[in-house]
Each structure stands twice: as structure tokens, then as C-alpha cells.
Amino acid sequence: MRMRPFSSFVAARRAGKAVTIVFPDGTTAPFGLSAAPKGGFGGIQIGYNWQAVGSPWVFGIEADASFGRLRGEDAKPFTVNASTGNEGDGDYTGVARLHQTIDAFGTVRGRIGYAADTLLVYATGGLAWARVETRFGVDSVAFDDPERFDPEQRAALSSGGNASRKDVHFGYAVGGGAHA
């Protein structure tokens, strides 16, 4: 039997490398683009665990933040069969490009555990966040029969298009483990 309550202050630093998770179908709509960000990161973790005298239950709170440069991009060709309104249908092709960068992510979690002698078994869960920049663009547009498109249509499609957005995304983190 453990003679004193389990309590601890946790402060740590860490580093790692991102890995890619591929879903079973291997695609995402609409062009099957998947940025699969990869790269390195480093971060910090801080927390506190507390156990009351005479109780096997341990309660805690932890927070962590990681910073780095996780980047990924993908490009896929596409074909559109368009109704132009002029002389029937017209086809065009192009390339869709996706680029994603994650420069920071982390969690804030609660912890509950059970201490038996020198072993602590615990579960943890809480808020997860990530700061993500996503860029999407279309370029290299080519017409199967340019005469089927009027000059304004050709100009609008040939200029391609780009969109960019920076967001902080929120989700959840759950896990568990043991300390011996």
C-alpha cells in the first residue's frame, strides 16, 4: 500500500514528427485531394495531479501546446463537361491544388485515475485545437473546343481561382495510460 498520496506537478518539453493517417477509401471529395501534412514540431506540457489522503482516486489537469511546420499539398487533374449555352456542350480540363499548413496545436484535458501502490492507471479527455491555413486553387485550364465558349467564359475559366483561409479548429482529445 502506498504510504503517501499521489500528487505531482508536471512540466515537460517534447518534439516529434507528424505522420499521415490514410482513410480506408483513400479519397476526399470533390477531386480526391488529400494534403497529408508532414513535418516536425516541438512543444511544452504542464499539469498537476492530486490525490486525497486515504483515497485511491487521483484527479488532475494538463495542458500542452506544440509548434512547428506541418505542411502538405496535393494536386489532381479534373475534367468538366459544361453546358455553355452557346453551341451545346463544351469540355475543359484543369488542375485543382490543395495546400495545408498546421503551425500550432494542443490540448487542455482533465484526468482521473486510480492509484494502487506505485501504479497509477488513468483516463484523460478534453479540448483539442489546431491552427490551420488551407489554400485551394485551380490552374492550367485548357478547353477541348475553345470556340464553344464565348470570350467572357474563356477569360473567367482561364484565370483559374484561389481561395485561402486561416482558422483555429476545435475538437476533442481522449486517452489513457499508466504510470509505474
Side-chain angles (χ1 to χ4, degrees), residues 1-7 50-59 113-117:
M1 180 91 184
R2 189 177 185 99
M3 299 305 291
R4 56 186 168 82
F6 184 95
S7 65
W50 176 80
Q51 179 183 17
V53 175
S55 172
W57 295 102
V58 177
F59 302 94
Y114 187 86
D117 196 23

Side-chain angles (χ1 to χ4, degrees), residues 2 4 27 78 82 135 162:
R2 189 177 185 99
R4 56 186 168 82
T27 62
F78 67 90
R135 293 188 311 232
N162 293 297

Side-chain angles (χ1 to χ4, degrees), residues 93-106:
T93 61
V95 176
R97 299 184 188 282
L98 174 67
H99 178 90
Q100 267 189 331
T101 303
I102 302 169
D103 62 4
F105 59 94

Side-chain angles (χ1 to χ4, degrees), residues 149-158:
F149 296 85
D150 62 40
E152 291 84 16
Q153 290 172 325
R154 282 194 309 269
L157 292 169
S158 295

